[in-house]
Amino acid sequence: MSQRNTGLVLAVVGLAGLCLLPLAAVAYDYSYARVVRLSLVEGDVQVARPDQQGWEQAVANLPIQQGFSMATGGGRAEVEFESGATARIAENSVLEFTELALSNGARISKLTLTQGVGTFYANLAHEDSFVVRTPQLEVAIASNARFRLDVYDDVTTVSVLKGEVEVDSAAGTNRVTKGYTLSYRGSDAGSVSIGRNAEPDSWDRWVAERDEQVRAGSTASQHYVDTQYSYGVSDLSSYGSWYSLAGYGNCWQPYGLGYNWSPYSYGRWAFFPGLGWTWISFERWGWLPYHFGSWVFSPTLGWLWVPGRFRHWQPAAVSWVRVGNRVGWVPLAPQDRPGQTPANLQRGFVSVGPSQGVSTPTHLRVPLDPREQAQVLSTPPAELVASMRTSTTVRTGPPPAARPEVSKGTRTIIFDPRTHTYVNGPSRPGHSDSKAGDARMGNEAIPPQRGFTVTSPQSPGAQPTAPPLSTPTRPARPDGKAGDARMGSEAIPPQRRGFTVTPPQSPGAQPTAPSPTKPTRPA
């Protein structure tokens, strides 16, 4: 073999080795263990978990993982990420958590907004990435940015409120900076136009108020606790106060709780694959104090939360115990070690009480009987698990295998086989939704969302039965020309200009096109 050929072979072998090593390293350090928080639920919000069929009512403090989907009817939702990023979705919107992963320490966040309105913020560190996709384009934050996405029918708009983002679509790649909106129209050969942002509407104002609440609360709490886990920190200043306790430093206590109250007593248990039994608190502040740190009891103050070092998120900081013929759980204390009797057991333990005919059984604090021997358990015993399984939220309907459409009050969630995504259903005929279509550009009102149908999870191998998406009609311009109305030289996103919608028709009925409606200005 010639020297030239030998060098070529060695180069190829070396290149193959270089390719394999990084892949092995990434595979070794690639994890889907990330957990983010559903921090706020207002109105009709539902979630679908990848390990279960059907939809369930969403509650605040629900852990969100990769593969979850969230749909709003007349409600709104907010999700906090451990890095301080946020995702908020408006009424009649659907958001999928496509990827929540770690790669060599970097956080990978990929979301998909298939319909509706959402506002997203991230301040990236190291090699983190934050991407939001729609059926027509993809938006990536470079470092520190906030943007709004409007996804309706054939048009998607990206309005940048802070920093800059990169938008990839069939029309190419565009950088959009603060104060500007990119509008993408798929039916017009993927045309793109960029103009100034619209005036803030009611959704923008709601987001701004939430941002200020979180910022002010986080700033106040940082005086007492220093943590890289910023989700839930703002709640501490809003719902409790701080005390300095000898031997423990700064400790936190929620407002308005009686002396006999105990942690882990107002909420429910839920099982998550990869996480195990996880505590979901019904208390507004119940995220950080139940998934980080530990608890101590002060004879003068009552229960206090000790923040600790925030090393790892945990499903619940409790020890499982059996005392006599009763089983339950005890809040962990800072000095507790695995297998040892919990220090807080002397205050009793929490157990499942009688169901009393409700979906979530009551939790009772059981005083410790010193004559009975306590046994520390590594996992909840079978009799306790049986009670915990009955406390899950009530499903919205039978699984999709039995009924393709899952009822959401007066709305439906249906799978769209063309895009393989969830789409949120419009109001059914005769339904009045005062919140629908409140997004605005300038002073022009948007009618309710147009003919989208939303997806429900299908059983493996089943063919989804999604009705076709209805096509909106565009009102004529005052000058009689086709509706590419513009304000000066800046294009107005079509989805904000008074589209009317063809309501869902009964099977076999001939659709009738509604007459165009004129946009109305807010009172």
Side-chain angles (χ1 to χ4, degrees):
M1 182 181 292
S2 67
Q3 183 176 1
R4 179 180 179 183
N5 290 337
T6 302
L8 180 60
V9 170
L10 291 176
V12 172
V13 172
L15 180 60
L18 289 174
C19 292
L20 291 175
L21 286 176
L23 288 176
V26 170
Y28 178 78
D29 193 29
Y30 200 84
S31 169
Y32 297 102
R34 288 184 60 200
V35 177
V36 299
R37 175 200 185 196
L38 178 54
S39 53
L40 183 66
V41 172
E42 289 187 357
D44 179 20
V45 180
Q46 300 198 24
V47 294
R49 293 165 51 175
D51 61 309
Q52 298 182 3
Q53 291 186 346
W55 293 78
E56 62 183 75
Q57 294 294 332
V59 294
N61 297 315
L62 180 74
I64 300 293
Q65 293 182 282
Q66 176 173 299
F68 277 57
S69 296
M70 184 184 307
T72 60
R76 294 173 174 179
E78 173 188 271
V79 176
E80 288 184 331
F81 295 72
E82 70 273 38
S83 60
T86 57
R88 298 181 176 102
I89 57 173
E91 297 84 349
N92 207 23
S93 303
V94 179
L95 181 67
E96 299 175 10
F97 296 84
T98 310
E99 185 172 10
L100 296 173
L102 292 170
S103 178
N104 292 327
R107 299 184 182 96
I108 301 173
S109 303
K110 294 181 180 178
L111 314 178
T112 302
L113 184 69
T114 59
Q115 172 191 327
V117 178
T119 300
F120 306 89
Y121 165 78
N123 185 8
L124 304 180
H126 306 300
E127 299 298 322
D128 292 358
S129 64
F130 194 96
V131 175
V132 184
R133 296 170 175 168
T134 77
Q136 295 181 325
L137 51 79
E138 178 177 293
V139 185
I141 291 180
S143 58
N144 185 350
R146 179 181 289 106
F147 65 94
R148 167 176 168 163
L149 266 177
D150 291 69
V151 182
Y152 294 117
D153 305 324
D154 182 52
V155 179
T156 300
T157 64
V158 183
S159 303
V160 182
L161 310 173
K162 178 180 181 179
E164 70 174 16
V165 300
E166 188 174 87
V167 181
D168 286 328
S169 66
T173 300
N174 296 88
R175 282 192 173 272
V176 187
T177 59
K178 176 183 177 181
Y180 287 88
T181 294
L182 178 146
S183 300
Y184 177 90
R185 184 178 303 163
S187 61
D188 191 11
S191 65
V192 167
S193 59
I194 298 178
R196 298 292 299 182
N197 284 352
E199 292 296 321
D201 60 10
S202 62
W203 169 251
D204 295 321
R205 290 188 290 272
W206 183 84
V207 170
E209 291 174 359
R210 284 295 304 157
D211 279 336
E212 178 57 26
Q213 293 173 9
V214 172
R215 186 202 63 78
S218 298
T219 301
S221 297
Q222 291 294 340
H223 293 296
Y224 303 95
V225 58
D226 182 16
T227 172
Q228 60 175 327
Y229 296 96
S230 59
Y231 53 176
V233 171
S234 65
D235 295 337
L236 302 180
S237 63
S238 302
Y239 298 98
S241 55
W242 292 89
Y243 300 88
S244 180
L245 193 62
Y248 298 103
N250 291 322
C251 299
W252 179 84
Q253 184 180 64
Y255 291 134
L257 298 177
Y259 190 79
N260 291 325
W261 171 85
S262 177
Y264 297 98
S265 59
Y266 186 55
R268 67 179 178 90
W269 292 99
F271 187 84
F272 294 86
L275 300 180
W277 285 104
T278 302
W279 180 254
I280 301 176
S281 172
F282 296 157
E283 291 135 332
R284 180 67 183 83
W285 48 264
W287 181 257
L288 278 183
Y290 290 137
H291 299 297
F292 296 92
S294 53
W295 290 82
V296 297
F297 184 84
S298 166
T300 56
L301 298 172
W303 285 101
L304 296 167
W305 176 62
V306 184
R309 296 185 179 181
F310 296 90
R311 291 179 177 175
H312 302 288
W313 185 92
Q314 49 192 339
V318 300
S319 289
W320 305 100
V321 295
R322 182 189 300 275
V323 181
N325 62 350
R326 298 293 298 270
V327 290
W329 53 93
V330 182
L332 285 179
Q335 63 269 35
D336 283 350
R337 297 294 180 269
Q340 297 181 356
T341 301
N344 287 324
L345 183 57
Q346 59 184 332
R347 291 292 309 168
F349 59 95
V350 183
S351 185
V352 177
S355 175
Q356 299 179 355
V358 296
S359 59
T360 301
T362 57
H363 295 147
L364 304 176
R365 188 173 67 87
V366 181
L368 179 65
D369 187 344
R371 297 171 299 178
E372 295 180 318
Q373 184 178 2
Q375 178 186 4
V376 180
L377 308 173
S378 58
T379 58
E383 61 266 39
L384 187 57
V385 167
S387 300
M388 292 158 60
R389 288 193 184 279
T390 65
S391 67
T392 56
T393 53
V394 178
R395 296 277 158 179
T396 58
R403 186 178 65 184
E405 298 186 9
V406 179
S407 173
K408 290 177 81 262
T410 54
R411 299 174 184 270
T412 56
I413 302 177
I414 308 168
F415 186 78
D416 180 4
R418 293 177 292 179
T419 61
H420 301 284
T421 55
Y422 296 108
V423 190
N424 203 354
S427 300
R428 292 178 182 172
H431 173 59
S432 175
D433 187 348
S434 61
K435 292 185 177 180
D438 194 27
R440 305 172 192 277
M441 174 172 247
N443 293 321
E444 297 180 349
I446 299 179
Q449 272 77 346
R450 281 121 9 226
F452 271 42
T453 49
V454 173
T455 65
S456 59
Q458 304 291 326
S459 58
Q463 294 296 321
T465 56
L469 304 182
S470 59
T471 304
T473 58
R474 184 177 294 123
R477 290 172 48 180
D479 58 8
K481 298 181 180 179
D484 185 20
R486 299 179 182 271
M487 180 179 293
S489 59
E490 299 172 357
I492 301 177
Q495 81 279 11
R496 296 193 187 181
R497 293 201 308 271
F499 279 18
T500 56
V501 184
T502 303
Q505 304 289 328
S506 58
Q510 294 298 319
T512 57
S515 58
T517 60
K518 182 180 180 180
T520 59
R521 297 180 181 272

